[in-house]
């Protein structure tokens, strides 16, 4: 091996080094300037021979030297390198091209912008380093030699959030689901693999695969996170708050699965920029980091058809349009029939006194749709503008009939549920370390019911309306390599109206409440240089004009790597919530969507306040992932009307709290293309209502034990998944006797046992999914998928309550059953 020595350690342009050698050895080099200008080297030792110097330069530059005469030497380059300095910029996470990035030759004014393919080509060749900058990515500098290769190389850039939220589990249950150091679960539908029972990455269904998140009645309109009610979760779409999360009144997510780019789910330790959620935060973003090329997707399953297109209108702007509509009012598929039986199932009522079946028959005309429009505009190198609009709608026409004294009685009713939202956002990168974002948002929700009773001539008209508007300002300042400061301000105004009108007896009620709030937010974030420690501490100060009240909400996240494969995680938060849902009567809004939104009045309806802490350990080595987490949560200020009681507390108005503690465990193993996991959760969840006897009893949403198992196989264009879930039955309250009691002669009542003193039978379901992608051409593909929910067709009771039959004064047991075996299939063509 030849050893080369140098007089100095500073690199010089190769041309200068050659000039020195020409003087030292009285020789002449013949070359083309463009072929050597890219090279910088440390000059060889002046005392060495000419041959040693040439050998040294050849080794460093790959240039070819040829002696024409003893004093004339030609220098030539590899002809494959006779091209400009060029390359392709790609996102390190998605491998998508990065458009409109600035590529500059350091120390000069020479720069170019990347095109829609992420390609750049510099007009001159220089030995200076190449600087790369983009508003959404970390700056990067590459050497000219790294680009001066035979083919234009791929250069990857990391998004700014990549460093701040480094991944703990790159593949969590399936591809496209990750867990970050901040404790946030991140779902990227475009990278989504497959999960049992799902043919598409339905947002609300997918989040139920995460430990601690469950829906005891199988709907996405009743998701319980660590024992909380559905309304205690905050759902956002591009900064717009969603008060309606389901189609088909809960069986399907209200968001088009083609839309979302990133879904972030936080069960605890959420950012101080979030509020109005004493349970979890689900933040859905369908915004792209770059202006993507034009693409379109057409698809259909056995419930609905869907359309999605992304139009690149200019080099710096794009429009994204998505729409979906059910064809349930036109075609009745097996999937629709089973969904119908689950939500609008004919209620089998058992007269416990006479053991007699009474049947109520329902017919309905139902459809849903959702649509969204997004506009993205890049303004120069440092600014970005977004416009987001969304609309969601469910409509039900409902005819209920029964046989009374040999005569058929029918009544027609209608229910409409709608959401409209909009958002304007402006992002600015002041420089590489300081960023700002300001947004204006509005959300409108409307629930309207016209209900004719089948038992009498009573007509009930009900409405629940919400208008939520806000302004948000967020700044980010990188103080050093390890510290980042985030601060901001938020203003919110929300108005909620409830309206009820009854013809018999004549009654009319209209209640409207408005609440304005201001918030100041600050967060300090630290990540050590060796990436072992990540921490974020946040503080949110809320001021409510109506009560002249200040509430402080601290948050924290901490993750420390004990070893290369074991880390510990600590999360905690204090949060409050002024909006909630209650049930006045179980038959409200046709008994289908019986919950209505209300505002806290700080008296009979207090502000809900939560305190939560958790500690977990994450082990990751040799494709094993183990996650064990213990948690404690207390929520006070809840009302009995908001908990969905259907026993002796149904008409009792009391205020209390619930306390839950437990543990969540996940073990996962990946072997080549196979991924298998077991997910187990244990908890104890109790109500506390002071002054009520008994003051403490099981929560309506307590699921003491839940266990799920799944395995997926992903090979090239083929995906398959099978899995099951089991959990102990919900608490229930049974009558002490089959006959009612009479405290007054004309008022029969049910004599109940202690509240929630028994449980429903355990729940079990086995699910299956498979999908295959056909590459039709270079730019188009056809996807086919098939799934079966509840393969074994288990008849699980998911709800049970008792009532008095008004015709014979007997006690009726009413059971709601789970979804029966349900197939579904989808077809999707993308081009």
């Amino acid at each position: 091996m030849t050893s080369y020595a140098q007089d100095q350690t500073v690199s010089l342009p190769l041309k200068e080094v050659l000039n020195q050698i020409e003087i030292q050895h009285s020789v002449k080099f013949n070359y083309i300037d463009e072929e050597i200008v890219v090279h910088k080297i440390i000059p060889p030792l002046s005392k060495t021979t000419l041959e040693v110097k040439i050998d040294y330069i050849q080794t460093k530059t790959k240039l070819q030297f040829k002696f024409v005469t003893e004093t004339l030497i030609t220098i030539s380059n590899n002809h494959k390198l006779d091209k400009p300095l060029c390359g392709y910029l790609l996102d390190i996470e998605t491998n998508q091209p990065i458009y409109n990035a600035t590529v500059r030759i350091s120390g000069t004014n020479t720069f170019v912008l990347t095109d829609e393919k992420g390609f750049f080509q510099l007009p001159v060749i220089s030995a200076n380093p190449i600087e790369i900058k983009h508003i959404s990515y970390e700056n990067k500098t590459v050497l000219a030699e790294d680009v001066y290769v035979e083919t234009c190389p791929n250069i990857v850039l990391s998004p700014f959030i990549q460093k701040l939220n480094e991944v703990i589990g790159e593949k969590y249950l399936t591809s496209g689901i990750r867990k970050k150091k901040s404790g946030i679960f991140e779902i990227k539908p475009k990278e989504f693999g497959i999960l049992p029972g799902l043919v598409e990455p339905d947002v609300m269904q997918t989040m139920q695969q995460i430990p601690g998140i469950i829906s005891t009645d199988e709907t996405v309109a009743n998701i319980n996170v660590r024992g909380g009610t559905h309304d205690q979760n905050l759902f956002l779409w591009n900064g717009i708050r969603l008060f309606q999360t389901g189609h088909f009144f809960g069986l399907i997510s209200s968001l088009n699965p083609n839309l979302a780019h990133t879904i972030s789910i936080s069960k605890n330790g959420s950012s101080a920029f979030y509020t109005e959620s004493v349970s979890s935060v689900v933040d859905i973003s369908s915004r792209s980091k770059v202006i993507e090329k034009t693409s379109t997707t057409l698809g259909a399953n056995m419930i609905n058809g869907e359309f999605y297109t992304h139009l690149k209108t200019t080099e710096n702007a794009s429009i994204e349009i998505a729409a979906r509509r059910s064809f349930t009012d036109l075609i009745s598929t097996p999937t629709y029939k089973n969904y119908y039986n689950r939500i609008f199932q004919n209620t089998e009522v058992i007269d416990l006194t006479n053991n007699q079946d009474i049947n109520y028959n329902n017919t309905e005309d139902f459809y849903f749709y959702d649509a969204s429009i997004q506009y993205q505009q890049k303004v120069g190198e440092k600014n970005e503008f977004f416009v987001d609009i969304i609309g969601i709608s469910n409509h039900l026409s409902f005819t209920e009939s029964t046989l009374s004294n040999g005569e058929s009685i029918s009544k027609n009713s209608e229910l409409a549920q709608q959401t409209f939202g909009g958002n304007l956002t402006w992002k600015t990168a002041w420089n590489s370390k300081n960023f700002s974002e300001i947004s204006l948002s509005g959300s409108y929700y409307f629930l309207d019911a016209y209900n004719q009773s089948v038992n009498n001539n009573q007509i009930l008209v009900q409405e629940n309306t919400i208008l939520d508007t806000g302004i948000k300002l967020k700044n980010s300042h990188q103080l050093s390599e390890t510290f980042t400061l985030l601060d901001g301000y938020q203003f919110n105004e929300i108005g909620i109206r409830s309206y009820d009108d009854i013809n018999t007896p004549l009654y009319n009620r209209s209640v409207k409440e408005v609440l304005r709030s201001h918030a100041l937010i600050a967060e300090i974030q630290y990540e050590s240089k060796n990436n072992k420690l990540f921490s974020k501490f946040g503080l949110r100060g809320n001021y409510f004009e109506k009560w002249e009240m200040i509430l402080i909400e601290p948050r924290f996240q901490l993750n420390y790597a004990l070893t290369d494969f074991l880390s510990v995680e600590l999360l905690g938060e204090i949060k409050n919530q002024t909006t909630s849902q209650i049930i006045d009567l179980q038959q409200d809004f046709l008994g289908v969507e019986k919950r209505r939104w209300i505002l806290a009045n700080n008296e009979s309806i207090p502000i809900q306040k939560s305190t939560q802490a958790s500690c977990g350990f994450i082990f990751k080595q040799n494709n094993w992932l183990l996650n064990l987490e213990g948690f404690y949560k207390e929520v006070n200020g809840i009302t009995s009307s908001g908990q969905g009681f259907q026993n002796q507390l149904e008409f009792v108005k009391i205020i209390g709290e619930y306390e839950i503690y437990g543990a969540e465990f996940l073990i996962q193993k990946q072997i080549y293309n196979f991924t298998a996991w077991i997910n187990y959760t244990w908890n104890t969840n109790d109500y506390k209502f002071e002054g009520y006897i008994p003051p403490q009893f099981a929560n309506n949403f307590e699921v003491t034990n839940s266990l799920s198992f799944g395995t997926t196989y992903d090979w090239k264009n083929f995906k398959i998944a099978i899995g099951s879930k089991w959990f102990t039955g919900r608490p229930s309250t049974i009558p002490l006797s089959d006959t009612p009691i009479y405290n007054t002669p004309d008022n029969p009542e049910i004599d109940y046992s202690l509240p929630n003193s028994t449980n429903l039978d355990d729940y079990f379901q086995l699910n299956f999914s498979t999908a295959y992608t056909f590459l039709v051409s270079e730019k188009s593909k056809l996807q086919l998928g098939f799934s079966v929910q509840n393969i074994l067709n288990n008849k699980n009771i998911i709800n049970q309550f008792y009532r008095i039959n008004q015709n014979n004064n007997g006690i009726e047991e009413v059971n709601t059953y789970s979804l029966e075996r349900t197939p579904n299939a989808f077809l999707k063509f993308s081009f």
Side-chain angles (χ1 to χ4, degrees):
M1 180 180 293
T2 305
S3 177
Y4 303 103
Q6 295 89 28
D7 292 318
Q8 55 183 326
T9 57
V10 177
S11 294
L12 296 177
L14 180 59
K15 188 172 183 178
E16 291 186 19
V17 175
L18 293 175
N19 289 339
Q20 292 177 2
I21 296 174
E22 285 178 331
I23 296 172
Q24 293 171 3
H25 296 276
S26 300
V27 295
K28 178 67 176 178
F29 291 107
N30 190 9
Y31 52 81
I32 300 173
D33 285 346
E34 288 77 6
E35 292 186 352
I36 70 165
V37 70
V38 73
H39 298 292
K40 272 188 175 183
I41 64 171
I42 299 173
L45 191 64
S46 58
K47 295 180 179 180
T48 57
T49 64
L50 175 63
E51 287 74 13
V52 171
K53 291 174 182 175
I54 290 176
D55 188 31
Y56 166 75
I57 296 173
Q58 286 187 140
T59 302
K60 294 292 184 182
T61 65
K62 309 303 180 186
L63 293 170
Q64 301 298 318
F65 288 70
K66 182 178 181 181
F67 282 84
V68 179
T69 67
E70 290 185 357
T71 59
L72 179 61
I73 306 167
T74 61
I75 303 175
S76 61
N77 195 8
N78 182 345
H79 291 300
K80 293 181 180 180
L81 298 178
D82 291 338
K83 62 174 187 57
L85 298 178
C86 59
Y88 293 89
L89 299 188
L90 303 176
D91 186 300
I92 193 171
E93 292 183 348
T94 65
N95 210 38
Q96 291 292 316
I98 299 173
Y99 170 70
N100 211 32
T102 303
V103 183
R104 184 188 304 272
I105 296 176
S106 181
T108 73
N109 293 323
T110 302
F111 72 93
V112 294
L113 299 177
T114 55
D115 64 15
E116 62 181 8
K117 296 181 180 179
F119 177 75
F120 69 88
Q121 179 176 297
L122 291 165
V124 298
I125 297 177
S126 170
N128 293 356
I130 299 172
E131 299 172 349
I132 303 171
K133 294 183 180 181
H134 190 280
I135 187 173
S136 301
Y137 295 85
E138 294 180 8
N139 295 341
K140 189 166 189 174
T141 300
V142 297
L143 298 177
E145 291 94 326
D146 296 334
V147 180
Y148 196 64
V149 291
E150 293 183 6
T151 58
C152 301
N154 292 336
I155 301 171
V156 295
L157 300 186
S158 299
F160 284 116
I161 59 171
Q162 178 72 16
K163 181 180 178 181
L164 303 177
N165 295 307
E166 207 166 335
V167 173
I168 291 174
E170 185 64 38
K171 188 172 184 179
Y172 197 100
L173 304 179
T174 186
S175 58
I177 302 181
R178 304 175 176 89
K179 187 177 183 182
K180 300 290 189 177
K181 280 186 175 181
S182 58
I184 292 174
F185 290 89
E186 184 180 85
I187 302 171
K188 290 184 175 290
K190 288 188 177 182
E191 303 173 21
F192 195 73
I194 196 169
L195 283 172
L198 302 182
V199 291
E200 294 182 290
D202 185 295
V203 175
M204 308 302 172
Q205 294 286 359
T206 302
M207 67 180 288
Q208 295 177 48
Q209 309 296 323
I210 296 171
I213 302 178
I214 193 172
S215 175
T216 55
D217 66 359
E218 301 181 323
T219 71
V220 299
N222 192 23
I223 295 175
N224 315 117
V225 180
R226 289 180 174 172
T229 52
H230 184 77
D231 59 303
Q232 292 174 344
N233 304 311
L234 174 65
F235 295 93
L236 297 170
W237 180 78
N238 291 344
I240 302 167
R241 185 174 181 185
L242 298 179
F243 297 90
Q244 174 186 353
T245 58
H247 282 315
F248 226 125
F249 302 100
L251 289 180
I252 304 170
S253 168
S254 60
L255 293 173
N256 193 320
N258 292 303
L259 275 179
H261 286 269
T262 304
I263 304 161
S264 299
I265 302 170
S266 175
K267 295 186 293 182
N268 185 17
S270 58
S271 168
F273 285 89
Y274 298 115
T275 187
E276 283 297 314
S277 61
V278 293
S279 276
S280 72
V281 175
V282 181
D283 191 353
I284 304 151
S285 172
S286 58
R287 295 169 178 169
S288 176
K289 298 185 183 76
V290 297
I291 303 295
E292 297 180 348
K293 60 183 180 181
T294 297
S295 62
T296 300
T297 298
L298 302 174
N301 55 38
M302 297 176 73
I303 293 291
N304 61 262
E306 58 192 41
F307 164 79
Y308 167 83
T309 186
H310 181 97
L311 301 173
K312 183 177 179 181
T313 55
T314 69
E315 292 299 315
N316 295 310
S318 66
I319 295 176
E320 197 169 77
I321 303 172
R324 182 171 53 156
R325 191 193 188 279
S326 67
F327 40 73
T328 52
D329 52 334
L330 303 174
I331 304 172
S332 181
T333 65
T335 306
Y336 168 69
K337 289 178 181 178
N338 289 353
Y339 279 17
Y340 163 81
N341 290 335
R342 166 61 188 87
I343 295 295
F344 311 116
Q345 58 187 286
N346 292 329
T347 306
E348 184 179 67
V349 184
I350 300 173
D351 184 329
L352 298 181
T353 302
N354 301 314
N355 196 29
Q356 176 185 354
D357 286 355
I358 304 170
N359 290 314
Y360 290 90
N361 295 314
N362 304 325
T363 60
E364 50 77 35
D365 182 23
F366 170 76
Y367 68 88
F368 67 79
Y369 71 81
D370 57 70
S372 65
I373 300 176
Q374 299 172 247
Y375 176 74
Q376 180 179 0
Q377 173 75 57
K378 292 184 180 292
V379 183
E381 295 182 31
K382 298 184 178 182
N383 301 283
E384 210 165 2
F385 177 62
F386 297 91
V387 180
D388 307 286
I389 300 172
I390 190 169
I392 303 168
S393 180
N394 287 295
H395 187 270
L396 168 69
S397 297
F398 187 87
T399 300
E400 188 176 29
S401 61
T402 189
L403 196 65
S404 178
N405 298 322
E407 183 179 347
S408 178
I409 302 174
S410 297
K411 297 291 183 179
N412 297 320
S413 302
E414 291 189 356
L415 179 65
Q417 186 182 33
Q418 296 177 322
T419 292
F420 299 100
N423 180 282
L424 301 175
T425 298
W426 183 277
K427 292 183 178 181
T428 297
W430 304 106
N431 51 49
S432 61
K433 296 184 178 181
N434 295 278
F435 306 87
S436 293
E437 176 181 333
I438 186 169
S439 63
L440 308 176
S441 64
S443 180
Y444 175 76
Y445 170 79
F446 181 62
L447 180 63
D448 176 39
Y450 177 82
N451 188 0
Q452 294 190 82
S453 173
V454 72
N455 295 318
N456 52 51
N457 292 319
Q458 186 183 77
I459 298 176
L460 172 62
V461 177
Q462 295 180 299
E463 296 176 1
N464 186 212
T465 309
I466 302 174
L467 180 60
D468 180 71
T469 58
I471 302 173
K472 300 177 182 178
L473 173 65
K474 182 178 181 179
N475 301 302
S476 174
H477 317 279
Q478 187 175 341
L479 305 179
S480 67
E481 189 177 346
T482 56
F483 281 98
T484 301
L485 173 67
L486 299 101
D487 58 74
Y489 165 79
Q490 295 178 1
F491 168 77
N492 180 258
E493 178 179 286
I494 184 169
I496 300 181
R497 175 179 175 266
S498 289
Y499 174 78
D500 298 88
D501 184 89
I502 306 174
N503 66 336
T504 304
L506 191 62
Y507 175 78
N508 181 282
R509 179 187 71 164
S510 181
V511 178
K512 182 179 180 180
E513 298 284 348
V514 178
L515 183 64
R516 298 182 183 89
S517 63
H518 305 261
L520 292 176
I521 304 117
E523 290 182 332
I524 187 71
Q525 187 169 268
Y526 172 81
E527 186 169 17
S528 61
K529 292 182 180 180
N530 60 8
N531 291 324
K532 285 184 173 292
L533 175 63
F534 171 87
S535 63
K536 180 190 285 187
F537 296 89
L539 200 64
R540 181 186 182 94
N542 299 297
Y543 175 73
F544 300 99
E545 291 184 6
K546 190 173 185 178
W547 308 304
E548 297 182 346
M549 176 190 295
I550 296 176
L551 291 177
I552 304 298
E553 301 180 4
R555 321 278 177 88
F556 74 87
Q557 308 162 6
L558 187 146
N559 185 288
Y560 182 72
L562 301 173
T563 68
D564 291 340
F565 48 83
L566 180 65
S567 60
V568 61
E569 176 184 86
L570 296 174
L571 302 171
E573 64 182 21
I574 294 177
K575 292 197 290 188
N576 71 80
Q577 183 171 331
T578 57
T579 55
S580 60
Q581 286 182 306
I582 63 167
I583 300 174
D584 282 338
L585 297 171
Q586 289 293 328
Q587 63 266 33
D588 282 354
F589 300 101
L590 305 188
V592 179
E593 179 52 84
K594 48 201 170 188
R595 298 166 298 179
R596 70 177 74 205
W597 287 93
I598 59 169
L599 263 177
N601 58 24
N602 214 25
E603 294 176 355
S604 61
I605 306 170
I607 298 175
Q608 296 183 22
K609 300 175 182 177
S610 70
T611 302
Q612 186 175 185
S614 61
C615 177
F617 293 89
I618 302 100
F619 174 88
K620 186 178 69 170
Q621 190 178 38
N622 297 330
N623 292 322
W624 281 98
L625 175 64
L626 283 78
N627 191 353
L628 175 63
E629 185 172 7
F631 67 90
Y632 171 85
K633 182 170 76 171
E634 179 182 87
V635 178
N636 55 57
I638 64 171
T639 63
S640 53
S641 301
Q643 298 298 305
F645 285 106
Q646 292 180 278
N647 52 22
Q648 60 265 57
L649 281 89
E650 182 173 351
F651 304 106
V652 177
K653 308 294 184 183
I654 52 178
I655 298 170
E657 64 183 57
Y658 69 83
E659 181 184 63
I660 180 172
Y661 58 89
E664 299 161 354
F665 177 70
L666 171 76
I667 179 170
Q668 175 180 300
K669 174 64 174 177
Q670 184 176 351
I671 304 174
Y672 298 107
N673 298 319
F674 281 97
T675 301
W677 69 88
I678 297 175
N679 176 347
Y680 173 73
T681 300
W682 168 85
N683 67 67
T684 295
N685 189 359
D686 286 332
Y687 288 123
K688 292 181 182 178
F689 291 105
E690 291 186 11
Y692 185 81
I693 299 176
Q696 182 171 334
F697 51 91
N699 192 305
N700 289 340
F701 304 101
E702 180 185 60
V703 177
T704 306
N705 298 280
S706 66
L707 178 71
S708 66
F709 162 81
T711 183
T712 65
Y713 177 72
D714 192 336
W715 182 71
K716 294 185 178 179
N717 298 330
F718 176 70
K719 302 173 184 178
I720 189 171
I722 188 167
S724 63
K725 53 183 176 181
W726 165 89
F727 55 81
T728 51
R730 290 174 54 189
S732 181
T733 308
I734 61 174
L736 289 174
S737 171
D738 292 345
T739 58
I741 60 174
Y742 290 84
N743 292 322
T744 58
D746 298 327
N747 187 25
E749 296 180 3
I750 299 174
D751 187 18
Y752 285 103
S753 59
L754 292 176
N756 292 347
S757 54
T758 61
N759 289 79
L760 300 178
D761 293 336
D762 292 355
Y763 176 101
F764 179 77
Q765 189 179 85
L766 182 66
N767 302 314
F768 167 81
S769 299
T770 186
Y772 190 83
T773 301
F774 296 91
L775 300 178
V776 180
S777 68
E778 185 179 348
K779 296 184 178 180
S780 62
K781 61 182 179 180
L782 179 67
Q783 294 175 283
L784 303 175
F786 177 75
S787 72
V788 181
Q789 289 180 271
N790 196 8
I791 295 174
L792 302 179
N793 205 26
N794 287 49
K795 195 173 184 180
N796 300 299
I797 297 176
I798 56 178
N799 191 38
Q800 182 182 85
F801 65 94
Y802 300 84
R803 66 187 179 193
I804 299 292
N805 185 302
Q806 299 300 321
N807 294 323
N808 58 21
N809 290 334
I811 296 179
E812 302 173 343
E813 178 186 281
V814 183
N815 292 320
T816 302
Y817 294 97
S818 62
L819 186 71
E820 54 191 310
R821 183 189 297 121
T822 302
N824 199 358
F826 83 93
L827 173 69
K828 188 178 292 186
F829 181 61
S830 303
F831 56 94

